Amino acid sequence: MEIKERDGLARIAKFETPHGTIETPTVLPVINPNIMDITPQEMKPLGLQGIITNSYIILRTPQLRDRALKEGLHSLIGYDGPIMTDSGTFQSYVYGSIEFNNREVVDFQKRIGSDISTILDVFTTPGTSRSEAEKALIETYNRMMEVNDETGIIAGPVQGGIYPDLRRRSAELMNSTNARYHPIGGVVPLLETYDYSTLVDIIINSKISLSFNRPVHLFGGGHPMFFAFSVYMGVDLFDSASYVKYAKDDRLIYPDGTRDLARITELPQWSPLYDKYTVKEIRDLDREKRSVEIARHNLKAIFMEIAEIKERIYEEGLAQYVAQKARSHPSLMKAYWRMMSYSNILEKYEDLSKKTAYFFYDSFSTRNPYVSRLNRFTESFLSSNRKDTYAFNARAWVPGYTNSEFVRDVYQRIDCNALISWSGTFVPAELENTYPVEQTVSSGFETDPDFSRVKDMISPFRVDVYKGEKFEGEPVRSFNLNKIRTVADYQFGFGVGKMLFRDDVKINVSKTGRIRGILSKDGRQIATLRNDGFFTLTYYGASLIHSQLKRPSMRVIVSRDSAEYNAKGYSVFFKFVVDADENIVAKNDVLVVDEDDGLVAVGKATVSGRELKEYTEGIAVKVHEGRDQSEK
Ligand code: GUN
């Protein structure tokens, strides 16, 4: 997969198939080869990237089977783009069994020229017992192994029922095979009953155990209500039969839910039916025509939601969209809460900062992955700075507006930790300008944090809420020096602040008091502080870290061939990455080193540490300065 854009686990990526490239996230509409009321050609203008059809239906229908074998699947369907085929698993689940075995079904899919063939996995329902679910996932794995040496793209579904550990196990097993595509299976009953919170457990546990280099598909996840959530958790593709199924029941799909034709008064303007019919005219259509027309409306709703999600990914604002979606149905709210309980996992894949502000809505926002990342830092900060602490509540210190001499005087005249209140939690005051502390748009519904928690962290030292005390005397420390060191510790790891910035550095400050560039005593540029409150390192700055910070921290190790180019300032491609520090945060500066740990360049990682190791196509590190370019 080639990643074009990302926003946490969500990504816009390109996936190659024999009949063309699929740009994810997308939906593959289900095409019934017996009934093609709306052809794939007609769906193209909506943004169709590919379709899915059922090879089992073709296999057991003699006319379809003969035509498919003779002319090929693409001719049968009348579509020259990517076609995925399912295997009959769902039919096997509904009817108890089917008359073909796994090998026969896969062989057939390959013979008719399917772009993505699916094994006959064993469907597990939410009601399946643990031991049955375990047996089914092992059988599914064995069936994948039966066809493991086949060429082409084979989809290896993840099963495991509602058991998070079994989902992980199934995903790990599937990941070890040659499957190049992973649907998450057995979830249709959960979608039908709006049990989105159980789905959250299933998706996250499956996703993190699968290679990031393979597309993940949510089998049967065809209603747009849950698209944004799924994409946020790393799902790339969906299939949808719901556009037809709902239409048959006179139900219209909207991005946030479903409405009965009998109960609507007007069509939305985006509907393809808007210019053609009044609601009454649709109701008066004969049954067959009516359901085809409603299916068109439903398809539009589905693709419209995909387009919206892509836009949110481009603007790095999917998290806000998901927070907004959570309010559209109580089951989604419950799922949101569940999803936020995985913040410590989601956080690993979140970018260092985003183009969009951090939105504080209400107490739910305090469980956001960025808050979890900051809380973790604050805990380490306090345990390595055990001293008396002043807690500034929201009125005493407003992040981003703290250049007031007054607070500076307090800070600089006492040698205490200073914690500021932010989004219902507390963070070191030195991070006041660092994303998302300053870049927050708040509803104002946050409450002051529970500072008593700090007591345990710094015991036996004291925590006092600052009440306006004044301090006399000479400054005992520099706010700006502590600030740049704390930001560097937060950005690059504890201890890096002191490696990078000695006591005698020169800190350039703008007219408004904001820190810009940091230079060494002899005038060499070390780093610049950006508007998001993080540093961009120069090669010199990187070399200061490199000589003091042990391997593998901050390292992206590249092959010898690549090192030569990176030293000249060219970007690092994934295919040349030999290894990378797992703790690298996407969009953070990294040290590009050769296999002997020689520093060749400094640049910005496009993805997280784990992804650096897994992707194979595209740019891994955008180099901003190579060894050969740096002033000697
Ligand atoms: N369609 C909906 N769910 C499933 C599943 O679990 N496996 C397969 N193969 N197809 C599906």
Side-chain angles (χ1 to χ4, degrees), residues 236-252:
D236 303 297
L237 293 113
F238 305 88
D239 58 278
S240 177
S242 49
Y243 75 98
V244 180
K245 274 200 244 159
Y246 282 62
K248 283 194 182 134
D249 295 338
D250 285 335
R251 305 192 75 203
L252 283 81

Side-chain angles (χ1 to χ4, degrees), residues 52 86-91 118-124 157-159 183-189 218-221 239:
I52 181 166
D86 201 353
S87 53
T89 291
F90 203 59
Q91 287 71 16
T118 307
I119 62 163
L120 192 65
D121 51 317
V122 183
F123 193 90
T124 313
V158 175
Q159 294 288 347
I184 297 175
V187 297
V188 171
L218 191 66
F219 253 147
D239 58 278

Side-chain angles (χ1 to χ4, degrees), residues 388-569:
D388 287 347
T389 297
Y390 260 117
F392 291 81
N393 64 28
R395 282 159 304 285
W397 191 316
V398 182
Y401 299 91
T402 59
N403 290 320
S404 83
E405 290 306 313
F406 155 67
V407 174
R408 287 276 191 92
D409 285 356
V410 174
Y411 182 94
Q412 300 199 138
R413 289 202 160 91
I414 49 169
D415 186 17
C416 289
N417 292 322
L419 296 179
I420 54 175
S421 163
W422 170 76
S423 287
T425 184
F426 43 81
V427 294
E430 293 86 346
L431 294 182
E432 61 163 354
N433 299 123
T434 299
Y435 189 89
V437 180
E438 182 178 355
Q439 299 77 359
T440 298
V441 177
S442 172
S443 61
F445 292 158
E446 59 270 61
T447 46
D448 267 327
D450 175 13
F451 286 116
S452 65
R453 271 179 55 213
V454 182
K455 282 205 177 90
D456 300 334
M457 297 182 212
I458 56 160
S459 163
F461 296 94
R462 293 179 13 190
V463 185
D464 292 310
V465 173
Y466 178 73
K467 296 202 188 65
E469 301 89 321
K470 298 264 186 300
F471 297 91
E472 302 292 329
E474 288 301 305
V476 294
R477 56 181 183 162
S478 150
F479 182 60
N480 279 353
L481 181 62
N482 282 350
K483 191 168 180 172
I484 60 176
R485 283 180 174 161
T486 306
V487 171
D489 281 351
Y490 179 50
Q491 186 176 357
F492 303 120
F494 259 97
V496 173
K498 282 206 166 128
M499 296 174 190
L500 205 49
F501 306 123
R502 293 168 42 147
D503 290 349
D504 57 9
V505 290
K506 185 167 178 308
I507 304 174
N508 283 338
V509 175
S510 76
K511 281 202 195 100
T512 55
R514 288 186 82 101
I515 298 172
R516 294 295 176 205
I518 324 297
L519 293 87
S520 67
K521 192 175 141 207
D522 55 1
R524 299 182 79 178
Q525 186 84 22
I526 300 171
T528 42
L529 198 62
R530 305 186 302 245
N531 283 340
D532 64 358
F534 287 108
F535 290 110
T536 297
L537 296 170
T538 62
Y539 182 84
Y540 173 63
S543 72
L544 293 175
I545 300 177
H546 177 255
S547 59
Q548 302 171 75
L549 184 68
K550 284 204 205 72
R551 285 191 250 183
S553 298
M554 280 179 74
R555 266 53 162 206
V556 176
I557 304 171
V558 297
S559 66
R560 208 158 295 281
D561 300 345
S562 173
E564 201 182 305
Y565 287 97
N566 308 139
K568 293 189 176 77

Side-chain angles (χ1 to χ4, degrees), residues 37-64:
D37 289 327
I38 309 175
T39 64
Q41 292 307 329
E42 287 179 77
M43 296 178 190
K44 271 189 179 168
L46 292 171
L48 184 81
Q49 302 278 321
I51 60 121
I52 181 166
T53 188
N54 196 317
S55 63
Y56 168 68
I57 295 178
I58 303 174
L59 181 56
R60 68 147 199 227
T61 315
Q63 309 93 294
L64 293 175

